[in-house]
Amino acid sequence: MLKENDIINYLKEHDLYDPTGQDKIVCGVIMPSTLDYVLYGAGSVLSTKFNVLNYSDKGLVIIPIDNLTGKIVQNAHVFIPKDQITNIELKSKLASYKVKFDTANGSTSFKVNKLMIGAGWHKKNLQSFLSSIG
């Protein structure tokens, strides 16, 4: 599984690192849509997308993770400046949270699990992440 130092190094290499986001790095999952489930059944799990989310005073960094290797997909990150985020919705579920970020250009939602096996940094950072967006 991906290590927190790998993520911080990636952020630094791409001039996205902000010390205010040091403890606000978590995994976010984009789940298949209901239509995917209807059309592809069990095969719809292939459209699940894992990401690293880093929220800081500068904004939100979304870093895609390769589903097969568990490594960062190089140069495929997205940065949304904080002043372009118009709304953040946070909903608590039984084993996860649903986090939705709205911008003038659209919105994106992530499932953020309360526990991620093999990623201790996720659990360590979860409350700081949630506090910063909530």
Side-chain angles (χ1 to χ4, degrees):
M1 185 63 169
L2 194 58
K3 295 184 180 0
E4 188 173 25
N5 281 342
D6 296 336
I7 298 163
I8 292 170
N9 289 337
Y10 182 88
L11 292 168
K12 287 178 179 178
E13 288 169 11
H14 293 86
D15 198 29
L16 297 166
Y17 179 76
D18 180 354
T20 65
Q22 174 79 30
D23 61 346
K24 297 173 186 84
I25 301 170
V26 297
C27 287
V29 182
I30 298 175
M31 299 300 291
S33 69
T34 304
L35 182 60
D36 288 339
Y37 284 118
V38 171
L39 294 175
Y40 307 113
S44 66
V45 298
L46 298 174
S47 63
T48 301
K49 294 177 178 64
F50 292 90
N51 300 275
V52 169
L53 307 177
N54 176 233
Y55 191 72
S56 70
D57 288 347
K58 287 185 179 181
L60 175 67
V61 180
I62 304 167
I63 306 170
I65 303 301
D66 186 281
N67 288 359
L68 297 176
T69 65
K71 303 280 184 195
I72 292 173
V73 177
Q74 292 297 316
N75 300 313
H77 62 269
V78 173
F79 173 68
I80 304 170
K82 195 169 188 173
D83 63 352
Q84 290 184 15
I85 299 171
T86 57
N87 187 43
I88 301 173
E89 290 180 28
L90 176 64
K91 293 182 183 173
S92 181
K93 307 253 180 171
L94 184 60
S96 64
Y97 296 93
K98 180 181 178 186
V99 182
K100 180 181 175 191
F101 295 93
D102 295 323
T103 70
N105 297 324
S107 64
T108 187
S109 295
F110 298 92
K111 175 182 169 186
V112 177
N113 292 322
K114 293 182 180 179
L115 179 66
M116 290 290 293
I117 295 172
W121 51 267
H122 172 87
K123 184 178 180 183
K124 177 183 71 129
N125 294 334
L126 184 59
Q127 288 308 312
S128 292
F129 177 83
L130 296 172
S131 296
S132 68
I133 63 170

